[in-house]
Amino acid sequence: MAGIMTPAGITIRRGDSFDILMNFKSGNKNFDLTECKIKMTVRDSDNKEIFSKDGEIISAANGTARIKLTRTETDYPPANYKTDIQLTLKNGDVHTIYPQNVNAVAYFKLTPEVTE
């Protein structure tokens, strides 16, 4: 769980695991995630896909989900990459939920590790 997620980006130490926990709401009520899909994509500065990872619905009725990043997803050279997370609804509509600022691209920063 060695990582930080801010509105502007995600920072993780290279080779560490990190859970991105999400709780979806519509107004004051939990958003039903039944038949929804969540996907995170990370790309380099040349727009080449580094990896993509499907999210896991923890409780559809409670609107909770996570993206579980493992060493496989974080074992790349330390650098600043770019990322977003999309939610696909059961009717097929796609919404980029991260970053929330539609005028920004979120960073995915991998920092150096000491112990391998």
Side-chain angles (χ1 to χ4, degrees), residues 67-97:
I67 297 173
K68 184 173 183 62
L69 301 178
T70 65
R71 181 174 182 88
T72 301
E73 289 84 34
T74 65
D75 195 16
Y76 291 94
N80 286 323
Y81 301 95
K82 52 190 175 178
T83 189
D84 69 11
I85 299 173
Q86 291 186 329
L87 172 67
T88 303
L89 304 179
K90 62 183 172 184
N91 69 2
D93 288 353
V94 176
H95 300 276
T96 299
I97 58 168

mmCIF file of all heavy atoms in Angstrom, residues 67-97:
data_model
loop_
_atom_site.group_PDB
_atom_site.id
_atom_site.type_symbol
_atom_site.label_atom_id
_atom_site.label_comp_id
_atom_site.label_asym_id
_atom_site.label_seq_id
_atom_site.Cartn_x
_atom_site.Cartn_y
_atom_site.Cartn_z
ATOM 1 N N ILE A 67 -8.900 -0.882 -7.893
ATOM 2 C CA ILE A 67 -7.924 -1.339 -8.874
ATOM 3 C C ILE A 67 -6.718 -1.748 -8.059
ATOM 4 O O ILE A 67 -6.132 -0.927 -7.349
ATOM 5 C CB ILE A 67 -7.572 -0.234 -9.884
ATOM 6 C CG1 ILE A 67 -8.818 0.157 -10.678
ATOM 7 C CG2 ILE A 67 -6.456 -0.713 -10.820
ATOM 8 C CD1 ILE A 67 -8.631 1.353 -11.581
ATOM 9 N N LYS A 68 -6.385 -3.013 -8.114
ATOM 10 C CA LYS A 68 -5.286 -3.566 -7.317
ATOM 11 C C LYS A 68 -4.034 -3.639 -8.182
ATOM 12 O O LYS A 68 -3.928 -4.488 -9.053
ATOM 13 C CB LYS A 68 -5.656 -4.941 -6.780
ATOM 14 C CG LYS A 68 -4.606 -5.543 -5.868
ATOM 15 C CD LYS A 68 -5.102 -6.823 -5.243
ATOM 16 C CE LYS A 68 -4.107 -7.396 -4.280
ATOM 17 N NZ LYS A 68 -3.819 -6.548 -3.144
ATOM 18 N N LEU A 69 -3.111 -2.715 -7.937
ATOM 19 C CA LEU A 69 -1.845 -2.715 -8.670
ATOM 20 C C LEU A 69 -0.842 -3.599 -7.938
ATOM 21 O O LEU A 69 -0.660 -3.468 -6.726
ATOM 22 C CB LEU A 69 -1.299 -1.294 -8.801
ATOM 23 C CG LEU A 69 -2.213 -0.298 -9.531
ATOM 24 C CD1 LEU A 69 -1.575 1.083 -9.551
ATOM 25 C CD2 LEU A 69 -2.507 -0.777 -10.938
ATOM 26 N N THR A 70 -0.218 -4.492 -8.674
ATOM 27 C CA THR A 70 0.784 -5.393 -8.114
ATOM 28 C C THR A 70 2.159 -5.036 -8.675
ATOM 29 O O THR A 70 2.287 -4.126 -9.504
ATOM 30 C CB THR A 70 0.458 -6.849 -8.476
ATOM 31 O OG1 THR A 70 0.573 -6.997 -9.902
ATOM 32 C CG2 THR A 70 -0.959 -7.235 -8.039
ATOM 33 N N ARG A 71 3.149 -5.764 -8.270
ATOM 34 C CA ARG A 71 4.506 -5.543 -8.774
ATOM 35 C C ARG A 71 4.538 -5.606 -10.308
ATOM 36 O O ARG A 71 5.299 -4.889 -10.952
ATOM 37 C CB ARG A 71 5.472 -6.558 -8.173
ATOM 38 C CG ARG A 71 6.893 -6.364 -8.638
ATOM 39 C CD ARG A 71 7.867 -7.303 -7.906
ATOM 40 N NE ARG A 71 9.214 -7.049 -8.334
ATOM 41 C CZ ARG A 71 10.019 -6.161 -7.784
ATOM 42 N NH1 ARG A 71 9.584 -5.426 -6.789
ATOM 43 N NH2 ARG A 71 11.240 -6.008 -8.236
ATOM 44 N N THR A 72 3.697 -6.431 -10.893
ATOM 45 C CA THR A 72 3.648 -6.550 -12.353
ATOM 46 C C THR A 72 3.365 -5.194 -13.004
ATOM 47 O O THR A 72 3.987 -4.838 -13.998
ATOM 48 C CB THR A 72 2.559 -7.559 -12.776
ATOM 49 O OG1 THR A 72 2.854 -8.823 -12.178
ATOM 50 C CG2 THR A 72 2.492 -7.707 -14.279
ATOM 51 N N GLU A 73 2.439 -4.431 -12.422
ATOM 52 C CA GLU A 73 2.084 -3.135 -13.001
ATOM 53 C C GLU A 73 3.050 -2.010 -12.609
ATOM 54 O O GLU A 73 3.068 -0.981 -13.260
ATOM 55 C CB GLU A 73 0.664 -2.721 -12.589
ATOM 56 C CG GLU A 73 -0.422 -3.549 -13.239
ATOM 57 C CD GLU A 73 -0.719 -4.843 -12.511
ATOM 58 O OE1 GLU A 73 -0.629 -4.883 -11.267
ATOM 59 O OE2 GLU A 73 -1.032 -5.845 -13.192
ATOM 60 N N THR A 74 3.812 -2.193 -11.558
ATOM 61 C CA THR A 74 4.694 -1.111 -11.109
ATOM 62 C C THR A 74 6.173 -1.408 -11.338
ATOM 63 O O THR A 74 7.027 -0.640 -10.909
ATOM 64 C CB THR A 74 4.470 -0.790 -9.611
ATOM 65 O OG1 THR A 74 4.857 -1.913 -8.824
ATOM 66 C CG2 THR A 74 3.016 -0.421 -9.348
ATOM 67 N N ASP A 75 6.475 -2.481 -12.008
ATOM 68 C CA ASP A 75 7.876 -2.865 -12.249
ATOM 69 C C ASP A 75 8.354 -2.336 -13.601
ATOM 70 O O ASP A 75 8.710 -3.099 -14.504
ATOM 71 C CB ASP A 75 8.042 -4.377 -12.159
ATOM 72 C CG ASP A 75 9.495 -4.793 -12.037
ATOM 73 O OD1 ASP A 75 10.343 -3.935 -11.717
ATOM 74 O OD2 ASP A 75 9.794 -5.986 -12.257
ATOM 75 N N TYR A 76 8.338 -1.027 -13.731
ATOM 76 C CA TYR A 76 8.816 -0.340 -14.932
ATOM 77 C C TYR A 76 9.852 0.690 -14.491
ATOM 78 O O TYR A 76 9.907 1.054 -13.318
ATOM 79 C CB TYR A 76 7.648 0.342 -15.665
ATOM 80 C CG TYR A 76 6.698 -0.640 -16.283
ATOM 81 C CD1 TYR A 76 5.559 -1.057 -15.611
ATOM 82 C CD2 TYR A 76 6.952 -1.179 -17.536
ATOM 83 C CE1 TYR A 76 4.685 -1.976 -16.179
ATOM 84 C CE2 TYR A 76 6.084 -2.101 -18.107
ATOM 85 C CZ TYR A 76 4.961 -2.493 -17.418
ATOM 86 O OH TYR A 76 4.101 -3.416 -17.960
ATOM 87 N N PRO A 77 10.651 1.187 -15.402
ATOM 88 C CA PRO A 77 11.661 2.183 -15.016
ATOM 89 C C PRO A 77 11.015 3.390 -14.331
ATOM 90 O O PRO A 77 9.952 3.851 -14.748
ATOM 91 C CB PRO A 77 12.297 2.592 -16.350
ATOM 92 C CG PRO A 77 12.064 1.425 -17.253
ATOM 93 C CD PRO A 77 10.738 0.851 -16.834
ATOM 94 N N PRO A 78 11.638 3.890 -13.263
ATOM 95 C CA PRO A 78 11.126 5.097 -12.624
ATOM 96 C C PRO A 78 10.988 6.221 -13.653
ATOM 97 O O PRO A 78 11.919 6.495 -14.410
ATOM 98 C CB PRO A 78 12.190 5.434 -11.578
ATOM 99 C CG PRO A 78 12.818 4.106 -11.263
ATOM 100 C CD PRO A 78 12.824 3.375 -12.570
ATOM 101 N N ALA A 79 9.829 6.830 -13.692
ATOM 102 C CA ALA A 79 9.546 7.886 -14.669
ATOM 103 C C ALA A 79 8.175 8.463 -14.369
ATOM 104 O O ALA A 79 7.418 7.931 -13.556
ATOM 105 C CB ALA A 79 9.581 7.341 -16.091
ATOM 106 N N ASN A 80 7.848 9.533 -15.068
ATOM 107 C CA ASN A 80 6.504 10.104 -15.041
ATOM 108 C C ASN A 80 5.761 9.621 -16.273
ATOM 109 O O ASN A 80 6.153 9.926 -17.396
ATOM 110 C CB ASN A 80 6.560 11.629 -15.034
ATOM 111 C CG ASN A 80 6.993 12.170 -13.702
ATOM 112 O OD1 ASN A 80 6.643 11.640 -12.662
ATOM 113 N ND2 ASN A 80 7.769 13.233 -13.732
ATOM 114 N N TYR A 81 4.719 8.859 -16.061
ATOM 115 C CA TYR A 81 3.857 8.380 -17.118
ATOM 116 C C TYR A 81 2.544 9.169 -17.021
ATOM 117 O O TYR A 81 2.389 10.026 -16.174
ATOM 118 C CB TYR A 81 3.605 6.883 -16.957
ATOM 119 C CG TYR A 81 4.878 6.057 -16.977
ATOM 120 C CD1 TYR A 81 5.516 5.691 -15.791
ATOM 121 C CD2 TYR A 81 5.447 5.650 -18.171
ATOM 122 C CE1 TYR A 81 6.682 4.939 -15.808
ATOM 123 C CE2 TYR A 81 6.615 4.893 -18.203
ATOM 124 C CZ TYR A 81 7.229 4.542 -17.012
ATOM 125 O OH TYR A 81 8.378 3.811 -17.031
ATOM 126 N N LYS A 82 1.585 8.855 -17.876
ATOM 127 C CA LYS A 82 0.267 9.480 -17.766
ATOM 128 C C LYS A 82 -0.787 8.389 -17.619
ATOM 129 O O LYS A 82 -0.583 7.252 -18.066
ATOM 130 C CB LYS A 82 -0.009 10.393 -18.952
ATOM 131 C CG LYS A 82 0.187 9.794 -20.310
ATOM 132 C CD LYS A 82 0.107 10.863 -21.384
ATOM 133 C CE LYS A 82 0.438 10.260 -22.735
ATOM 134 N NZ LYS A 82 0.332 11.251 -23.800
ATOM 135 N N THR A 83 -1.899 8.750 -16.998
ATOM 136 C CA THR A 83 -2.906 7.742 -16.695
ATOM 137 C C THR A 83 -4.308 8.331 -16.695
ATOM 138 O O THR A 83 -4.491 9.543 -16.569
ATOM 139 C CB THR A 83 -2.638 7.086 -15.319
ATOM 140 O OG1 THR A 83 -3.502 5.960 -15.148
ATOM 141 C CG2 THR A 83 -2.857 8.055 -14.169
ATOM 142 N N ASP A 84 -5.280 7.462 -16.839
ATOM 143 C CA ASP A 84 -6.665 7.807 -16.552
ATOM 144 C C ASP A 84 -7.395 6.539 -16.146
ATOM 145 O O ASP A 84 -6.883 5.431 -16.289
ATOM 146 C CB ASP A 84 -7.359 8.524 -17.716
ATOM 147 C CG ASP A 84 -7.629 7.673 -18.940
ATOM 148 O OD1 ASP A 84 -7.481 6.437 -18.875
ATOM 149 O OD2 ASP A 84 -7.995 8.232 -19.983
ATOM 150 N N ILE A 85 -8.570 6.739 -15.577
ATOM 151 C CA ILE A 85 -9.430 5.623 -15.174
ATOM 152 C C ILE A 85 -10.798 5.888 -15.778
ATOM 153 O O ILE A 85 -11.336 6.999 -15.663
ATOM 154 C CB ILE A 85 -9.529 5.510 -13.640
ATOM 155 C CG1 ILE A 85 -8.146 5.243 -13.039
ATOM 156 C CG2 ILE A 85 -10.513 4.398 -13.254
ATOM 157 C CD1 ILE A 85 -8.110 5.283 -11.522
ATOM 158 N N GLN A 86 -11.347 4.867 -16.434
ATOM 159 C CA GLN A 86 -12.658 5.004 -17.067
ATOM 160 C C GLN A 86 -13.651 4.027 -16.464
ATOM 161 O O GLN A 86 -13.311 2.901 -16.107
ATOM 162 C CB GLN A 86 -12.557 4.752 -18.570
ATOM 163 C CG GLN A 86 -11.798 5.833 -19.299
ATOM 164 C CD GLN A 86 -11.836 5.645 -20.799
ATOM 165 O OE1 GLN A 86 -11.905 4.538 -21.306
ATOM 166 N NE2 GLN A 86 -11.787 6.762 -21.514
ATOM 167 N N LEU A 87 -14.880 4.495 -16.372
ATOM 168 C CA LEU A 87 -16.002 3.692 -15.925
ATOM 169 C C LEU A 87 -16.919 3.487 -17.122
ATOM 170 O O LEU A 87 -17.328 4.458 -17.768
ATOM 171 C CB LEU A 87 -16.760 4.424 -14.805
ATOM 172 C CG LEU A 87 -18.086 3.807 -14.344
ATOM 173 C CD1 LEU A 87 -17.837 2.477 -13.649
ATOM 174 C CD2 LEU A 87 -18.822 4.776 -13.416
ATOM 175 N N THR A 88 -17.208 2.233 -17.436
ATOM 176 C CA THR A 88 -18.159 1.914 -18.503
ATOM 177 C C THR A 88 -19.437 1.411 -17.842
ATOM 178 O O THR A 88 -19.416 0.428 -17.092
ATOM 179 C CB THR A 88 -17.600 0.840 -19.456
ATOM 180 O OG1 THR A 88 -16.358 1.308 -19.991
ATOM 181 C CG2 THR A 88 -18.571 0.553 -20.584
ATOM 182 N N LEU A 89 -20.528 2.106 -18.106
ATOM 183 C CA LEU A 89 -21.814 1.737 -17.519
ATOM 184 C C LEU A 89 -22.424 0.554 -18.252
ATOM 185 O O LEU A 89 -22.035 0.234 -19.379
ATOM 186 C CB LEU A 89 -22.766 2.937 -17.567
ATOM 187 C CG LEU A 89 -22.268 4.217 -16.892
ATOM 188 C CD1 LEU A 89 -23.309 5.332 -17.050
ATOM 189 C CD2 LEU A 89 -21.960 3.968 -15.430
ATOM 190 N N LYS A 90 -23.428 -0.060 -17.645
ATOM 191 C CA LYS A 90 -24.049 -1.240 -18.262
ATOM 192 C C LYS A 90 -24.703 -0.927 -19.593
ATOM 193 O O LYS A 90 -24.837 -1.793 -20.443
ATOM 194 C CB LYS A 90 -25.022 -1.924 -17.309
ATOM 195 C CG LYS A 90 -26.196 -1.097 -16.875
ATOM 196 C CD LYS A 90 -27.029 -1.883 -15.863
ATOM 197 C CE LYS A 90 -28.088 -1.016 -15.254
ATOM 198 N NZ LYS A 90 -28.822 -1.743 -14.212
ATOM 199 N N ASN A 91 -25.056 0.348 -19.848
ATOM 200 C CA ASN A 91 -25.642 0.716 -21.140
ATOM 201 C C ASN A 91 -24.578 1.037 -22.196
ATOM 202 O O ASN A 91 -24.905 1.402 -23.317
ATOM 203 C CB ASN A 91 -26.610 1.887 -20.987
ATOM 204 C CG ASN A 91 -25.927 3.188 -20.648
ATOM 205 O OD1 ASN A 91 -24.705 3.264 -20.554
ATOM 206 N ND2 ASN A 91 -26.719 4.235 -20.435
ATOM 207 N N GLY A 92 -23.298 0.917 -21.818
ATOM 208 C CA GLY A 92 -22.209 1.154 -22.764
ATOM 209 C C GLY A 92 -21.606 2.546 -22.710
ATOM 210 O O GLY A 92 -20.571 2.798 -23.325
ATOM 211 N N ASP A 93 -22.220 3.472 -21.990
ATOM 212 C CA ASP A 93 -21.657 4.815 -21.858
ATOM 213 C C ASP A 93 -20.311 4.750 -21.135
ATOM 214 O O ASP A 93 -20.163 4.003 -20.160
ATOM 215 C CB ASP A 93 -22.597 5.731 -21.064
ATOM 216 C CG ASP A 93 -23.839 6.128 -21.846
ATOM 217 O OD1 ASP A 93 -23.921 5.809 -23.051
ATOM 218 O OD2 ASP A 93 -24.731 6.757 -21.236
ATOM 219 N N VAL A 94 -19.350 5.530 -21.615
ATOM 220 C CA VAL A 94 -18.006 5.561 -21.029
ATOM 221 C C VAL A 94 -17.768 6.924 -20.407
ATOM 222 O O VAL A 94 -18.043 7.958 -21.027
ATOM 223 C CB VAL A 94 -16.925 5.275 -22.106
ATOM 224 C CG1 VAL A 94 -15.533 5.392 -21.521
ATOM 225 C CG2 VAL A 94 -17.144 3.900 -22.727
ATOM 226 N N HIS A 95 -17.262 6.929 -19.183
ATOM 227 C CA HIS A 95 -16.966 8.161 -18.459
ATOM 228 C C HIS A 95 -15.557 8.075 -17.889
ATOM 229 O O HIS A 95 -15.236 7.109 -17.184
ATOM 230 C CB HIS A 95 -17.967 8.377 -17.317
ATOM 231 C CG HIS A 95 -19.377 8.482 -17.779
ATOM 232 N ND1 HIS A 95 -19.912 9.664 -18.233
ATOM 233 C CD2 HIS A 95 -20.355 7.540 -17.889
ATOM 234 C CE1 HIS A 95 -21.172 9.461 -18.578
ATOM 235 N NE2 HIS A 95 -21.461 8.180 -18.394
ATOM 236 N N THR A 96 -14.733 9.066 -18.200
ATOM 237 C CA THR A 96 -13.425 9.139 -17.578
ATOM 238 C C THR A 96 -13.636 9.747 -16.196
ATOM 239 O O THR A 96 -14.041 10.904 -16.075
ATOM 240 C CB THR A 96 -12.455 9.994 -18.409
ATOM 241 O OG1 THR A 96 -12.316 9.387 -19.696
ATOM 242 C CG2 THR A 96 -11.089 10.090 -17.744
ATOM 243 N N ILE A 97 -13.362 8.947 -15.167
ATOM 244 C CA ILE A 97 -13.623 9.384 -13.800
ATOM 245 C C ILE A 97 -12.368 9.915 -13.110
ATOM 246 O O ILE A 97 -12.464 10.557 -12.067
ATOM 247 C CB ILE A 97 -14.252 8.249 -12.969
ATOM 248 C CG1 ILE A 97 -13.338 7.030 -12.955
ATOM 249 C CG2 ILE A 97 -15.633 7.905 -13.514
ATOM 250 C CD1 ILE A 97 -13.722 5.975 -11.954
#
